[in-house]
Amino acid sequence: MSFRAKMEETAKKKESRVVLALDFPFSNPEKREELLARAQHVLEAVHSYVCAVKINHHLVLPLGTFDGVQLLVTRIHEKGLLAIMDCKANDIGATNQVIAEYYYAAGFDALIANPFVGWEEGLKPIFDIARKLRRGVILLAYMSHKGADEGYGQTIYDEETGMKTAQYVSFAKKALRWNADGVVVGATYPEKIREIHEILRENLPIYSPGIGVQGGAAEIAFKAGARYLIVGRDIILAQNPSAVAEKLCAAAKHVKGG
Ligand code: XMP
């Protein structure tokens, strides 16, 4: 089963379209055990309200991929959830291949990559290894931060039509052509979600980070066409993480087919 299909199945089973971003602020690297325990504690508290967990440098850097993060990936799977690595792979193909091989070897079901690096000797090796191992690749289309416009919002010439188009429109079309498993569009830009959803329709899901702290709103993102929310600090830093996750999970139930 493809990663895309596994996400759909897991979301239905868990009745949630929330991806937990297991991100914590910097803490003393000598107290890594505490960080690992904290991550496990949050996972225990919220696993009923999420369908997947996304891990970023916040945990890979202090814990190490095979010393600490792999343990978390195992726990994530034991909870019936999928694990996504947000490495935003963006290097030459040979390096991207090694990045993907290590993260897939650690058990990740999918990783996030940056289409700016292109296909040949860029992202192609990641897609090749992902298909071989039946794992997923999710592509950035329009990021959630303020400066996203400088890259993802640039006007470019479409190589096929020779017409002017937006960079993010081109990335959405490439995600379809390359048979990616989804695209990331910031919840802080619902109009971009809408525009990209028009291109992708039901063929590819939109993952939307930027809820809460960054200013995005769950219901607006879903109404615009997001299929999954990616939420970190709003849950992690809350007094009661499970209550926040439960509320976000309920917002997702308004999605068509959710
Ligand atoms: P917060 O705390 O803002 O964290 O809920 C969001 C998480 O998602 C990552 N992030 C993004 N990842 N494309 C991505 O692939 C984006 O546009 C984007 N915006 C935020 C962020 O690094 C954190 O892990």
Side-chain angles (χ1 to χ4, degrees), residues 6-81:
K6 273 190 208 162
M7 272 299 287
E8 263 314 298
E9 191 183 82
T10 311
K12 286 218 171 78
K13 204 187 284 175
K14 306 289 288 191
E15 294 186 46
S16 173
R17 297 198 170 272
V18 178
V19 176
L20 171 69
L22 206 46
D23 300 341
F24 297 90
F26 176 82
S27 62
N28 184 347
E30 280 165 23
K31 296 186 177 167
R32 291 194 289 280
E33 289 299 318
E34 283 175 24
L35 182 60
L36 181 59
R38 205 172 153 199
Q40 285 172 330
H41 180 75
V42 173
L43 183 60
E44 278 304 320
V46 309
H47 72 87
S48 310
Y49 306 113
V50 302
C51 59
V53 178
K54 183 181 82 69
I55 288 180
N56 202 333
H57 296 89
H58 307 66
L59 289 179
V60 170
L61 288 175
L63 301 183
T65 306
F66 293 95
D67 292 330
V69 164
Q70 192 176 28
L71 188 86
L72 279 172
V73 171
T74 304
R75 288 276 157 86
I76 290 163
H77 287 155
E78 283 168 3
K79 301 286 180 206
L81 309 172

Side-chain angles (χ1 to χ4, degrees), residues 88-89 111-119 123 126-127 131 136-143 152 170-185 196 200 204-207:
K88 298 185 180 70
L111 57 79
I112 297 178
N114 196 340
F116 265 113
V117 75
W119 181 250
L123 293 188
I126 297 188
F127 279 84
R131 296 303 163 238
V137 185
I138 299 166
L139 296 180
L140 301 177
Y142 200 97
M143 288 186 70
Y152 300 90
S170 162
F171 285 161
K173 289 180 180 168
K174 282 181 179 174
L176 284 172
R177 206 155 66 231
W178 297 348
N179 198 19
D181 294 276
V183 304
V184 179
V185 186
I196 291 170
L200 304 177
L204 272 194
I206 292 174
Y207 290 75

